[in-house]
Amino acid sequence: MARHRSLLFVGAALVAAVFLFLRLSESPRIINHDELIPLAVSWGMTERGDLDTNWALAERLPPPLKYDQYNFSTYNLFAHAVLGASGQDWSLLPLRHANVALQALAILLVVLALRRAGGTPTTGLAAAALLAVAPALVQDAHIARTESLLYALFALVLWLATLGGSLAARALLAGLVIGVGTASKITFIATALIFVPAVLDALRRHPRTGIAAGALAVVGTVIGFALGAPHALFNPDAFLNGIAALQTQYATEHIPHSTPGSTAVDRIGHTLLYVLMLYGPALAAFLLVDWRRAPGWVWGLGAMSALVLAYFAVKPVFFERNIGIALMGVVILLACALPRRAATVTAALTFVVMAWWAVPIAGESSGREDRRAAWEAANIPGPILSDWPAFDAPAKVRTCEGTIALLDFGDPTSRAMIRAVLDAGYRPLARYEGPFHPVPTSTLQTYLEPDAVYVRCGPP
């Protein structure tokens, strides 16, 4: 027993070390322009002396982002508090450090939930290890966006689902958490599915209890939403405008995160290939869970994960952050299937694949690595201009100076751009393939490290 506890302690220490290594960063650079949103919204709230998270009021936001929108409202309030406590009103570092704390809390809550549900300490350690290297969590830890907060809120919903006691009280608390999360990202409402089986079971056994739990969950969600986006209630037109803008963004093509003319089957294939590439056999969790014996919250977790994956898989735009909670749910499902032998083997393979990608994601996000810059310094002489002139590439090459790196995100538009330059008579000096070259087009290429083809500027 003592030896087993010692091994668990060593394992937990190793998981904690890996978790921190993959997430801690002191890099001040902006990875994605969305990181300007919490900074500008917070600065605007400070200047005005209110808590209105409407992007249109944030004077420091660039024009493309400065419009009526309450998306990320809860996170913007959270970021405002973090920035105020840190004494830094325009720094990403406090927000990125807060991401690490949020994700640590998320993993702790998941482990506690699994332990309460009957899992062994080894199962909890396995779940923590899998979540520590999950690519979505590692990437989102480095970006000042809402995802890390939502991971923590999702884990809190899961923890409440496994809690004993009054279903009505738990439903009210879960509704509050779900409402707060939904005020930050509308699709977070899908986490309510985790509680649906318990409410349905109560309706069958004790109708009054089930009705009360369902009603309290709705009330809690409304209150939670009001807490997360208080000014949206008094400015419904701006809120609805933001929802419409999001619907338009995901219903239309957003190159290079879209393939022009793609079908629903093509988009599903793209999503599945991305998940298979970065998460290995993790989706097998749906087959490995013993559904006959699984408690209701596991059924709800599976339904939530499947629904979010299916919803975004058919969208013309692929941003992997949209399926982050679903992928976290899949990893937790895999832990729920332990210690069955097939699940153990699948979990081990999943861990290896995820860890393989987590390392370059962390390196490129934190600034510890810049492979392309090092490669250019060793292989390409003279000044280098990096650009993605997707629709006028030959003209850009003719008029630039020095050497141009034509960025290749692995999508059809990038390939067409490079082909147009080669058809115009240019010959590439070199080609660079980044660590994410095999991955279907995602923000790993656009935010972190794309491929590149190098061409000498001037006439061909």
Side-chain angles (χ1 to χ4, degrees), residues 229-387:
H231 284 267
L233 301 179
F234 304 103
N235 198 359
D237 290 343
F239 174 73
L240 293 175
N241 179 76
I243 295 295
L246 290 174
Q247 289 178 335
T248 299
Q249 180 183 18
Y250 289 111
T252 55
E253 292 176 350
H254 188 90
I255 295 172
H257 298 279
S258 301
T259 298
S262 65
T263 65
V265 173
D266 296 330
R267 298 162 194 162
I268 293 171
H270 185 102
T271 300
L272 290 177
L273 183 58
Y274 171 87
V275 176
L276 179 63
M277 185 73 69
L278 271 77
Y279 288 76
L283 289 178
F286 287 106
L287 303 175
L288 294 171
V289 169
D290 186 355
W291 296 106
R292 293 171 299 177
R293 300 179 181 178
W297 65 267
V298 174
W299 280 87
L301 178 63
M304 184 279 295
S305 300
L307 177 65
V308 173
L309 281 171
Y311 177 77
F312 283 108
V314 297
K315 294 295 181 182
V317 182
F318 178 75
F319 290 124
E320 65 270 29
R321 59 178 176 252
N322 289 328
I323 58 174
I325 284 183
L327 294 174
M328 181 176 173
V330 169
V331 171
I332 297 170
L333 280 177
L334 186 54
C336 290
L338 297 171
R340 300 170 67 188
R341 179 175 297 179
T344 301
V345 173
T346 302
L349 291 174
T350 299
F351 177 86
V352 170
V353 174
M354 293 194 301
W356 173 270
W357 292 109
V359 172
I361 290 172
E364 297 292 344
S365 298
S366 65
R368 291 195 297 264
E369 297 179 8
D370 193 340
R371 301 186 186 190
R372 188 161 63 91
W375 185 90
E376 288 175 347
N379 294 276
I380 307 296
I384 300 172
L385 167 69
S386 292
D387 205 350

Side-chain angles (χ1 to χ4, degrees), residues 5-285:
R5 288 180 178 175
S6 296
L7 289 175
L8 284 174
F9 178 80
V10 171
L14 288 173
V15 169
V18 170
F19 172 88
L20 292 173
F21 170 76
L22 293 174
R23 288 164 176 79
L24 287 180
S25 170
E26 297 301 319
S27 173
R29 75 182 180 93
I30 292 177
I31 294 175
N32 171 242
H33 71 280
D34 282 357
E35 293 183 293
L36 292 173
I37 296 170
L39 298 178
V41 170
S42 174
W43 186 86
M45 290 192 291
T46 298
E47 289 295 300
R48 297 189 309 274
D50 62 31
L51 294 177
D52 195 337
T53 55
N54 188 352
W55 300 7
L57 302 179
E59 294 298 331
R60 290 191 176 186
L61 273 180
L65 295 173
K66 196 173 181 296
Y67 66 99
D68 281 325
Q69 172 66 274
Y70 279 97
N71 200 29
F72 310 147
S73 181
T74 302
Y75 177 71
N76 287 333
L77 290 174
F78 172 81
H80 184 56
V82 170
L83 292 170
S86 70
Q88 303 181 65
D89 62 356
W90 199 269
S91 172
L92 293 173
L93 292 182
L95 302 182
R96 290 176 177 163
H97 295 161
N99 283 349
V100 178
L102 288 168
Q103 292 200 13
L105 174 62
I107 293 177
L108 177 61
L109 288 170
V110 169
V111 171
L112 292 176
L114 292 178
R115 290 285 290 122
R116 182 186 293 121
T120 66
T122 304
T123 300
L125 181 61
L130 289 168
L131 291 172
V133 299
L137 273 71
V138 172
Q139 185 180 10
D140 290 329
H142 294 275
I143 302 177
R145 273 180 50 104
T146 188
E147 279 70 28
S148 291
L149 175 62
L150 295 184
Y151 293 141
L153 294 176
F154 165 47
L156 182 54
V157 173
L158 195 68
W159 182 81
L160 288 168
T162 63
L163 193 65
S166 167
L167 175 61
R170 288 189 292 129
L172 176 62
L173 291 174
L176 283 168
V177 176
I178 293 166
V180 168
T182 302
S184 198
K185 205 169 187 179
I186 196 71
T187 51
F188 190 80
I189 192 69
T191 59
L193 288 172
I194 296 172
F195 258 86
V196 167
V199 174
L200 292 177
D201 184 62
L203 282 171
R204 182 175 61 85
R205 295 172 180 269
H206 308 287
R208 289 185 179 180
T209 301
I211 292 172
L216 286 170
V218 172
V219 170
T221 301
V222 172
I223 295 173
F225 184 88
L227 292 173
H231 284 267
L233 301 179
F234 304 103
N235 198 359
D237 290 343
F239 174 73
L240 293 175
N241 179 76
I243 295 295
L246 290 174
Q247 289 178 335
T248 299
Q249 180 183 18
Y250 289 111
T252 55
E253 292 176 350
H254 188 90
I255 295 172
H257 298 279
S258 301
T259 298
S262 65
T263 65
V265 173
D266 296 330
R267 298 162 194 162
I268 293 171
H270 185 102
T271 300
L272 290 177
L273 183 58
Y274 171 87
V275 176
L276 179 63
M277 185 73 69
L278 271 77
Y279 288 76
L283 289 178

